[in-house]
Amino acid sequence: MDSSLPFGQRTLVTLALLIALAGVAFVCGPVHAAQTPLPNILLIVMDDIGIDQWKLFGYGGATPAATPNIDAIAAAGIKFHNLWTMPACSNGRATLFTGRYPLRTHVYTALGNNDLANFMVNPNEVTAPNLLRQRGYKSALFGKFHMGIQSNNPYGYGMVRAFGFDYFYGWLDATGDPSSIDGTAGGVAPPGTWSCGFVRDANHGGADSGACYSGNNACAVMSKSGAEAPGRICRDAGGIFDPNQPCINPTPDNINFATLSGHYVSPLTINNEDGSIEQVPSTDLRARTYRGTDPVDAAINWINQQPASQPWMVSVAFATAHTPVMQPPAQLLPPSEADTSNLDCSNSLDQRVITNQMEEALDSEVGRLLVATGLASRGQNGQLIYRPNQTNTVIVMVTDNGSLGTVVKAPFDSSQAKSSVYQTGVWCPGIVAGPPVKKPGRQVNAMVNIADLYQLFGELAGIDVHQNVPRTVDAQSILPYLLNPSQPSIRKTNFTQIGTNLHANGEINSPCQFNTTTCSQIAPTKGVCEDNGGIWWGPGATDPSTVGIPADGLQLCCDVAVWQANHAQTILTNIYPLEAFAIRNANYKIVINNYEGYDAPSNACLATSTKEFYQINENVPLPKLDNDNLLASGTPLNRQQKKNYDALTAQLAQILASQPACPGDINLDRVVNNADIAEWQMFQQLSGFSSWADINLDGLTDSADLAIILQNQGACPTPHPAQVPAAQSRPIPVASR
């Protein structure tokens, strides 16, 4: 199939539908006088870095990473100290780029390779690049995408361009996240030998000399001359180190350039502006360059090629500091940083040190990005000199979700981290800097949601997104905080959500057990589970504790608890919910968790829903976190608590009821009609497999789905908030058992 055909088909059909059905939807409605020229937007998205990590926000624990470049950007802009995102990679990014909560986009959690297209961002969404295109912006994404997975997306490797970006240069891993580390270090050792993907030095079981092969068949002998292991130096340069061997020609058969390896050997894909698609071979140096560096190189090249009169939006989406953690190139670290070549990337204590270094390397590359594109310069001592008023670019920095539990910094709660709706899982750094910012160096304590950045993009371009986008937008204004140092809080409440993406016919991810007490179903594969220090209970399970389980594995975390009870093993006590919601106001927070729990008396799974109520704050250095449930004490709520509890309960019910199901509405216009039939026909012809027209979720786009469209012709149901209780927004998906 012609790789450029899907996007061409998509563009023609969408254009026809817009002309016929929503011709006024994209008329710009400026909320303020647009700047002339329009400002460029540089969006920097970080991965798994919660607010607990950085001294810049008053936290960082006993050993915070050094971030002088990011600190300089914040000093020239403003820090959002009370920003919520979503609990996982994909739903956080989908909310950022659509301004819409997961209950609308149906991207409920981190996407995996078996998830249906229905749980990826629908190309009918007015994504940020589509929004800005109305004002003449060009857009490009560099690095991580993870709002679609090519295995079940009908656009395959062209899905980023179908999403709306004019240009994409980044990684399309099978699961959306970095692959497992190649423990063979390129084929020179048995599997699992080298936990960080390179050969250590002789004092640590490796070698101090050997042949370093590159993907272009060149070779050079390398010997240790400093603290750093030559195997690491070779790997960091894109090569494979054959320990204690001379260079020979041809390259030995065991040298393997094909295997992916975490942050160093990546499946690099390019969506060109002409619609063509390139999949870069793993022998190419670009595919073997550290993930914190290669997208920055590409972004610099693209930005510097844009005419001065061309407004642009560029998203540089780092994979830092997502697992599997790996030592970054030493040259990106402070000169005083200790060598970490001989740390163990599978050891939880070493992972904390390596994570700090990955964050410091990210800081270095952010500084390089600004300097190389003319947005900043270097002082005599190497410090970043950033004067935003001398540029025409607004810089936005945000993280997709909170920190992974194993690297959470005190006093935050490592048991309520990434993948949960608790504070440690959703409270993240936010920075905005640029010419519009008045009185820079400020901290904004008002509640902000990652969805609100979508509205900021529109505001900067003079677009009223609520008037302009033909569907519900959850974003609220941010621009007033930039312009007015005295701006009171705009949001009265904040919201976050996580759920379960489905596979064909209702299947979901298999259980992944952490430590002896906790189980989650967010990991899509055995490799991802084990990269995060977990035990896989799905197909292909190999941990000794799983011996004897069915060949296709166990299906739910509660099934693991039942198995453990039947086999005299330690039983899980903490099962992550299959869906969870949280809402807060200035001082209080409600959390709802829905899951299949383990019932010890009956030794069986039991559908469980919990509701929790907390008093929280953002105090520095000791914030009041959500770890003292006011509903659990047995003491009745006082008058003030009850008033806040009732108000938040009602608001949460209203949000969850605001997107009633509408089977057959493929193009998201809240009407089921011939336009949706045209969409079904297009996707059916495109692949016939998973698509947004696969309404019955069986992995096929076929006549059964067309029948559902025909049965549901007409306007979608009108929301009735009072009729939907907060804990029942949608059924909990449960795998066939």
Side-chain angles (χ1 to χ4, degrees), residues 324-524:
V325 298
M326 303 175 78
Q327 298 92 332
Q331 61 267 26
L332 299 181
L333 302 175
S336 60
E337 196 78 46
D339 178 62
T340 57
S341 296
N342 296 308
L343 293 187
D344 183 350
C345 289
S346 64
N347 178 279
S348 59
L349 293 178
D350 288 354
Q351 286 174 354
R352 300 180 73 87
V353 177
I354 297 170
T355 296
N356 261 12
Q357 290 197 336
M358 293 179 76
E359 293 177 14
E360 291 175 342
L362 178 147
D363 180 78
S364 294
E365 291 295 52
V366 167
R368 181 170 72 92
L369 173 64
L370 267 60
V371 172
T373 54
L375 298 176
S377 60
R378 293 289 182 189
Q380 290 184 346
N381 297 321
Q383 75 275 20
L384 189 74
I385 299 175
Y386 171 51
R387 298 187 176 96
N389 287 334
Q390 296 179 6
T391 76
N392 186 39
T393 300
V394 174
I395 299 174
V396 178
M397 297 189 68
V398 73
T399 303
D400 55 359
N401 53 251
S403 302
L404 185 69
T406 54
V407 299
V408 164
K409 302 288 184 67
F412 288 78
D413 191 340
S414 62
S415 69
Q416 296 182 338
K418 174 185 175 180
S419 301
S420 81
V421 297
Y422 298 100
Q423 289 293 87
T424 309
V426 301
W427 183 13
C428 292
I431 299 170
V432 177
V437 174
K438 308 302 180 187
K439 195 178 178 181
R442 291 183 282 126
Q443 175 172 295
V444 174
N445 295 316
M447 286 181 288
V448 173
N449 194 284
I450 194 170
D452 301 341
L453 294 174
Y454 177 86
Q455 180 152 335
L456 176 62
F457 304 149
E459 290 170 329
L460 293 171
I463 301 172
D464 183 336
V465 300
H466 291 275
Q467 183 179 33
N468 187 261
V469 177
R471 52 191 61 97
T472 302
V473 174
D474 298 297
Q476 296 189 26
S477 185
I478 285 185
L479 186 62
Y481 298 119
L482 279 59
L483 302 176
N484 179 11
S486 302
Q487 174 65 44
S489 179
I490 295 170
R491 276 189 173 272
K492 304 307 178 186
T493 60
N494 216 346
F495 173 81
T496 191
Q497 171 186 14
I498 193 169
T500 303
N501 302 329
L502 298 184
H503 309 168
N505 300 311
E507 294 290 330
I508 62 175
N509 294 333
S510 297
C512 180
Q513 177 186 348
F514 302 97
N515 301 317
T516 58
T517 61
T518 301
C519 184
S520 165
Q521 297 195 231
I522 194 172

Side-chain angles (χ1 to χ4, degrees), residues 2 56 96 99 101 110 177 254 257 371 405 430 457 499-500 505 558 614 638 669-670 725 729:
D2 183 353
L56 172 63
L96 167 64
Y101 294 149
D177 286 317
N254 65 301
F257 282 93
V371 172
F457 304 149
T500 303
N505 300 311
C558 62
Y614 301 96
N638 63 37
D669 66 354
R670 302 301 295 172
S729 66

